[in-house]
Amino acid sequence: MINLKTYYDLTELKSLLAECMWPDDVRITRELDSYLTDDSRGLYGEVIHHRLVGLIGIVSYSEEAVELKHIAINPQYRRLGLGTKLIYEYMHSYNPAKIIAETDQDTIGFYSKIGFEIHSLGEKYPGVERFQCILSKDHELILQGIRS
């Protein structure tokens, strides 16, 4: 896992960030700028064969809790465990008490599979149920298994 705040290719960063955001170039650029300039935000990624293949965007609220704001894996590298690896490497390196994410029905299986607790937030947008996902330090045995 590398820190992407100084990554050399902003086009590559924007392209990967677009994988997990509404495809609006202005919003994507604004979000990337926030990651690059705001000290409460972290952007971390995985590079394979000199190519950025995955990233996670974190917003720190306190030493106790961080929000997993964005997670994106290049379509060619999905289902290889890279998202899980990035989350657990972040947790191991920065040691937050918990990571909180919000998602929709399409990805709760991913979060549940790697140990997040899932809680419905109800219909936040018309016709769209949202879920809060929480991963706490209590999953240390899972973390040890992923790291070995």
Side-chain angles (χ1 to χ4, degrees):
M1 178 175 73
I2 63 168
N3 187 332
L4 297 174
K5 285 201 178 213
T6 57
Y7 195 69
Y8 67 95
D9 189 342
L10 294 181
T11 303
E12 195 174 20
L13 277 173
K14 283 174 63 175
S15 177
L16 194 52
L17 194 56
E19 290 287 330
C20 64
M21 290 183 64
W22 185 260
D24 175 339
D25 193 53
V26 172
R27 280 186 66 204
I28 293 164
T29 299
R30 187 173 42 234
E31 199 68 27
L32 179 57
D33 288 344
S34 292
Y35 279 115
L36 299 178
T37 60
D38 185 342
D39 289 340
S40 71
R41 289 176 165 237
L43 195 59
Y44 307 94
E46 183 75 21
V47 174
I48 297 175
H49 304 298
H50 308 289
R51 182 175 184 196
L52 181 64
V53 297
L55 66 75
I56 58 172
I58 302 287
V59 178
S60 296
Y61 296 116
S62 68
E63 290 181 16
E64 293 298 309
V66 299
E67 178 183 5
L68 176 60
K69 186 95 171 151
H70 296 99
I71 181 168
I73 305 298
N74 178 300
Q76 296 175 333
Y77 289 85
R78 290 184 184 155
R79 303 207 182 288
L80 299 175
L82 293 174
T84 302
K85 178 182 178 201
L86 285 168
I87 290 169
Y88 283 137
E89 282 186 9
Y90 176 85
M91 195 156 207
H92 177 69
S93 296
Y94 294 93
N95 204 29
K98 63 183 167 182
I99 296 177
I100 301 168
E102 184 178 311
T103 193
D104 57 22
Q105 184 71 43
D106 292 341
T107 56
I108 59 172
F110 164 76
Y111 288 104
S112 179
K113 180 181 172 185
I114 64 173
F116 280 79
E117 294 176 24
I118 312 297
H119 306 279
S120 176
L121 297 171
E123 192 174 301
K124 240 180 140 176
Y125 310 107
V128 179
E129 184 178 11
R130 298 292 288 176
F131 298 87
Q132 182 181 61
C133 308
I134 301 171
L135 181 68
S136 66
K137 279 197 237 182
D138 298 339
H139 291 85
E140 190 60 33
L141 292 176
I142 294 171
L143 293 176
Q144 289 173 2
I146 295 293
R147 287 192 298 248
S148 55

